[in-house]
Amino acid sequence: MIPRIAVFASGSGSNVQAILDAIASGSLVASVCALVASKPGIGAIARAESRGIPVFIGDASAAIRATSPDVIALAGYLKQIPSELIDAFPGRIVNIHPSLLPKFGGHGMYGRHVHTAVLAAGETESGCTVHLVTEHYDEGPILAQARVAVLPGDTPESLATRVLEQEHILYPNTLQQLLHGR
Ligand code: GRF
């Protein structure tokens, strides 16, 4: 059986695209059974629709009931995950975060805020982290990380771009590892 992934997104969906591309190329053996979008009009929706993937706007439980995923992959999803969902998918909800957790995680640390904080702290490296989702935001067990150098003259945007490139490699590879052990 090919594992079924429900992807949850709130933004442009470049990580959704990376997952879909990895599936198309065969490096991730899985299918995306649903996209849960936190609101209408976001880029992730068009990306899913172009592959014929059912889209559920704002309704995670309907998506779960209708499509029975094996795993949930959060890809820039900005809404709280209800604790019933976390309990129903123990060890099977993953998230990607654009810093080297446990640094620069937690409340308010999303998107540009993360990269701004990394630069303000004078860090010499940053990166991204794929981790399991627990009740405590950004604190679940870490599955994998990728590192990038912080360069002189970096802005939050330039750093975000470099981290995002790594996210697109790390997330599909970590899902493949989680689902198939290789
Ligand atoms: C990524 O940086 C991810 O780490 C964070 O939100 C961003 C989503 O970007 N959680 P995209 O919508 O996948 O392009």
Side-chain angles (χ1 to χ4, degrees):
M1 284 285 278
I2 294 188
R4 298 159 65 77
I5 306 173
V7 183
F8 288 30
S10 298
S12 82
S14 68
N15 278 290
V16 176
Q17 190 67 50
I19 290 168
L20 293 172
D21 290 348
I23 290 172
S25 77
S27 62
L28 171 57
V29 180
S31 68
V32 173
C33 60
L35 174 77
V36 174
S38 58
K39 55 183 184 206
I42 60 171
I45 294 174
R47 297 180 196 264
E49 282 177 347
S50 75
R51 304 276 174 111
I53 293 162
V55 173
F56 297 80
I57 296 174
D59 197 346
S61 19
I64 303 304
R65 265 199 312 277
T67 68
S68 320
D70 298 301
V71 163
I72 294 173
L74 309 182
Y77 190 66
L78 295 178
K79 274 171 74 174
Q80 190 76 34
I81 301 296
S83 55
E84 310 83 71
L85 196 55
I86 295 176
D87 293 344
F89 284 81
R92 292 190 293 143
I93 306 182
V94 290
N95 182 41
I96 188 155
H97 184 82
S99 77
L100 295 173
L101 290 175
K103 285 184 164 183
F104 307 103
H107 190 68
M109 280 293 167
Y110 61 89
R112 192 178 197 280
H113 302 293
V114 176
H115 306 294
T116 303
V118 168
L119 294 177
E123 297 287 319
T124 55
E125 66 171 6
S126 189
C128 49
T129 302
V130 178
H131 65 96
L132 295 178
V133 173
T134 64
E135 306 279 328
H136 303 285
Y137 231 71
D138 293 340
E139 287 178 19
I142 290 173
L143 300 178
Q145 292 185 313
R147 293 169 185 274
V148 306
V150 174
L151 301 178
D154 255 339
T155 61
E157 289 71 27
S158 65
L159 181 57
T161 302
R162 209 166 327 106
V163 170
L164 203 53
E165 278 171 19
Q166 293 303 314
E167 293 184 39
H168 297 159
I169 300 167
L170 186 72
Y171 209 4
N173 287 348
T174 308
L175 286 166
Q176 171 70 13
Q177 184 70 37
L178 179 71
L179 295 171
H180 303 283
R182 68 195 143 82

